[in-house]
Amino acid sequence: MTPRKASLRVAHARSCPNASKTALASAGRGSGCTCQPSYYVATRDRDGRTVKSARVRDRRTAERLLERAQREIDEGRVGIAKPKEITFGAWADEFERILDQRIQAGELHPRTKGSYASTLRRGREAFGSLYLREIGNPELRLFLEPFAHLRPASRLRYLRELSAVLTTAIGDGYLETNPVPRFTKAAKLRAPKRGKAPFEDDELERLWAELGRLEAKVYLYACRFAVETGVRLGELIALEWENVDLLRGRVRVEAQWDDRVGLLEPKDREPRVIYLTPPARQVLAEWVGVVGARAAGPVFPGPNGGRLGRRDLQRRFEAAREAARIPKLHPELRLPRTLHSLRYTTSVLLQRRGYHPRLIEATLGHSSLELTYGVYGGWTPEMLAAEAARDLQA
């Protein structure tokens, strides 16, 4: 039997309602999928048996695998094509070029390349002259040796980045399988708890009191607006008055700010509209009362004009947190509190106020309710106790 067509399939987590489905339509918005699925290419060998490629998380990588598989079918080379070979050092150079292209196209944040720098440098040292197909457990143990003194979370980060590098090589035909996931599982490195801890209600009040002591009120209102709307730091800095419709209660988030590059597309390249709740409207109305009505320019400018500085806001926030005697690490959840914790607090606040899950998901700009509730929606023990004691008849 001669194979005629390759197809792209989806693999869901066992806990997902679509676990038994493989069609592309079973993933994405409106599909009922609650997991982050992986993708693979299905073909048939000359005996008619189904052959599956390695699973990859990135759909674009899977689509490149599909194109390559179909091309081999069309050319009659299925099962006889000579494997492509490349050394890790050469592939690391190519991977950096791929990152540069995606950054120039606006698909990646410029900081992404910097985050891979130490991983690629160590990879060149550990297996620079080896072909990618020669990398196995012994080589991966060598890769991890210089990081032995680091915490498991840091070692896992390097392995995740290396895994992404090798997964991209699968899409370009230099590998069939990625050796990193199996190695990571065998190494039994325990991943830390994900995310940040939200702030308690009384902690927010103390934070606002400390930020309110600053002469420049922009820090207070920027943080209050962030906790009511869930905007990310870069989005907060990039927000322009022309994207604010206070009368209709809407804010359009269509950019993020990078201090080195300037305005960039928002995360995932998807603008979103935030529908303001009454508390969010109130914060914005109070801020208009401070700075006056504006038609253009940054909503939260720096004290001396221009954009609000990312690190400046972070430093002011951390100083206020310390002055308010709020511990960096939540005493019970053992998760850190940072400026980004305001975004986690948004999810919890909106849940407790009784807003619909879909509004919370849309406000935060998440792709699934699993992310909104599973990662960002965690309540603290104090919040759970207060909810349990609430009088439903009141």
Side-chain angles (χ1 to χ4, degrees):
M1 179 177 179
T2 303
R4 294 296 182 187
K5 187 174 178 61
S7 60
L8 191 58
R9 305 284 181 85
V10 179
H12 298 276
R14 292 182 179 179
S15 58
C16 180
N18 293 348
S20 63
K21 300 179 180 179
T22 60
L24 291 180
S26 66
R29 292 185 178 179
S31 65
C33 174
T34 60
C35 70
Q36 293 181 326
S38 56
Y39 301 88
Y40 64 93
V41 174
T43 58
R44 292 188 182 277
D45 62 18
R46 297 183 183 277
D47 296 323
R49 293 171 298 194
T50 300
V51 178
K52 300 178 181 179
S53 72
R55 295 182 181 183
V56 296
R57 286 289 183 186
D58 181 54
R59 178 161 175 172
R60 292 186 180 182
T61 300
E63 288 172 346
R64 289 197 293 269
L65 282 173
L66 176 65
E67 293 173 359
R68 181 164 62 90
Q70 188 60 51
R71 188 165 54 249
E72 290 184 357
I73 291 173
D74 295 340
E75 295 174 357
R77 296 187 293 108
V78 174
I80 60 173
K82 184 178 179 180
K84 296 167 64 176
E85 295 286 10
I86 192 171
T87 65
F88 183 89
W91 175 246
D93 295 339
E94 178 62 23
F95 183 79
E96 288 182 323
R97 284 192 288 270
I98 293 173
L99 291 181
D100 286 334
Q101 291 171 358
R102 296 191 64 188
I103 290 171
Q104 291 171 8
E107 298 175 359
L108 287 179
H109 196 287
R111 288 199 300 268
T112 302
K113 184 177 179 180
S115 70
Y116 278 96
S118 56
T119 297
L120 291 173
R121 181 171 59 252
R122 176 55 194 156
R124 288 183 174 102
E125 294 171 354
F127 20 73
S129 61
L130 290 176
Y131 289 114
L132 295 186
R133 300 177 196 278
E134 296 178 314
I135 298 174
N137 286 0
E139 292 73 28
L140 292 172
R141 283 193 290 270
L142 180 63
F143 170 83
L144 275 185
E145 274 186 3
F147 308 129
H149 66 288
L150 299 179
R151 294 180 178 180
S154 297
R155 282 179 278 164
L156 281 169
R157 178 177 68 83
Y158 285 113
L159 285 173
R160 280 197 305 270
E161 292 177 349
L162 178 62
S163 183
V165 172
L166 297 181
T167 294
T168 306
I170 292 176
D172 278 23
Y174 294 110
L175 273 179
E176 277 74 42
T177 59
N178 184 346
V180 176
R182 182 176 295 179
F183 172 81
T184 302
K185 184 176 181 180
K188 297 182 179 179
L189 295 175
R190 294 186 61 185
K193 289 183 178 179
R194 297 175 63 191
K196 303 285 192 297
F199 289 101
E200 309 282 1
D201 292 348
D202 65 311
E203 291 175 334
L204 286 178
E205 292 301 321
R206 302 206 304 272
L207 268 175
W208 304 156
E210 292 299 332
L211 289 169
R213 300 180 197 280
L214 299 175
E215 182 178 353
K217 299 304 179 186
V218 66
Y219 302 108
L220 169 63
Y221 284 97
C223 290
R224 285 181 59 195
F225 187 73
V227 85
E228 292 294 346
T229 60
V231 289
R232 301 176 178 91
L233 178 55
E235 296 169 345
L236 184 72
I237 297 171
L239 187 62
E240 301 271 349
W241 281 112
E242 61 187 25
N243 291 326
V244 175
D245 187 341
L246 190 53
L247 184 62
R248 298 174 65 202
R250 298 181 183 183
V251 169
R252 181 173 174 79
V253 176
E254 58 182 20
Q256 61 176 317
W257 178 263
D258 181 87
D259 290 338
R260 293 175 296 177
V261 181
L263 288 174
L264 296 168
E265 289 185 300
K267 188 175 181 180
D268 300 326
R269 307 181 70 186
E270 292 185 5
R272 72 182 187 280
V273 174
I274 296 177
Y275 298 88
L276 300 178
T277 61
R281 284 196 188 202
Q282 180 64 30
V283 171
L284 208 50
E286 291 178 14
W287 178 234
V288 171
V290 173
V291 298
R294 305 286 178 88
V299 174
F300 300 103
N304 300 317
R307 299 283 176 181
L308 191 62
R310 174 186 291 267
R311 295 197 179 279
D312 182 39
L313 179 55
Q314 289 173 326
R315 283 195 294 266
R316 301 277 185 169
F317 181 86
E318 283 301 307
R321 181 191 58 75
E322 292 179 2
R325 297 183 179 181
I326 300 172
K328 179 76 171 180
L329 200 67
H330 192 284
E332 294 184 75
L333 296 180
R334 310 307 294 172
L335 289 172
R337 267 89 69 85
T338 67
L339 183 61
H340 193 62
S341 292
L342 295 179
R343 183 167 161 83
Y344 284 74
T345 309
T346 305
S347 180
V348 176
L349 284 177
L350 294 181
Q351 288 179 54
R352 288 164 53 204
R353 290 171 183 167
Y355 287 104
H356 195 281
R358 289 301 181 189
L359 175 65
I360 304 174
E361 178 189 39
T363 298
L364 295 173
H366 287 158
S367 59
S368 70
L369 288 175
E370 180 186 27
L371 181 59
T372 302
Y373 281 76
V375 178
Y376 281 78
W379 289 29
T380 66
E382 183 176 318
M383 294 171 181
L384 291 171
E387 180 68 9
R390 183 163 59 90
D391 185 359
L392 297 179
Q393 304 302 319

